[in-house]
Amino acid sequence: MRIISRRTLKEFWEKHSDVEGALKTWYVRVKRAKWETPSDVKVDYRNASFIENNRVIFNIKGNSYRLVTAIHYQSGIVYIRFIGTHKVYNKIDASTI
């Protein structure tokens, strides 16, 4: 998969160093993935949550952080839409961010 944008992840882990390893691992695993359907995502990330507008929410670092993505399966692109703590996540509308 092509991930847009790694910079968002990097900027986040530079501010929150405790999550750097987990985000780098997520990035490498997703980059190597060949997801064509939500079921393919579930094989790799059984705790991923799916909501409207092709949004997929990943729990990062033992569910300490939430990563919201928009996945375009046909083109093989994963768009990073949000990364943050649960407290901040609870203040956003993940389906429209």
Side-chain angles (χ1 to χ4, degrees), residues 13 16-22 61 64-65:
W13 78 54
H16 305 273
S17 60
D18 65 313
V19 75
E20 181 176 358
K61 194 180 178 255
S64 296
Y65 298 92

Side-chain angles (χ1 to χ4, degrees), residues 7-76:
R7 183 184 333 165
T8 302
L9 299 177
K10 185 175 186 283
E11 288 172 356
F12 189 80
W13 78 54
E14 286 175 348
K15 293 177 184 172
H16 305 273
S17 60
D18 65 313
V19 75
E20 181 176 358
L23 286 174
K24 284 181 176 179
T25 298
W26 179 88
Y27 181 85
V28 169
R29 286 184 68 191
V30 173
K31 190 165 178 69
R32 293 179 181 160
K34 304 261 189 251
W35 296 334
E36 295 179 359
T37 67
S39 297
D40 296 332
V41 176
K42 273 295 195 187
V43 168
D44 291 336
Y45 289 94
R46 61 185 171 94
N47 291 324
S49 300
F50 299 86
I51 60 174
E52 60 188 293
N53 294 327
N54 290 328
R55 299 299 196 262
V56 181
I57 298 132
F58 296 91
N59 297 318
I60 304 294
K61 194 180 178 255
N63 210 14
S64 296
Y65 298 92
R66 289 279 176 101
L67 173 62
V68 178
T69 64
I71 300 179
H72 190 265
Y73 297 99
Q74 280 185 312
S75 61

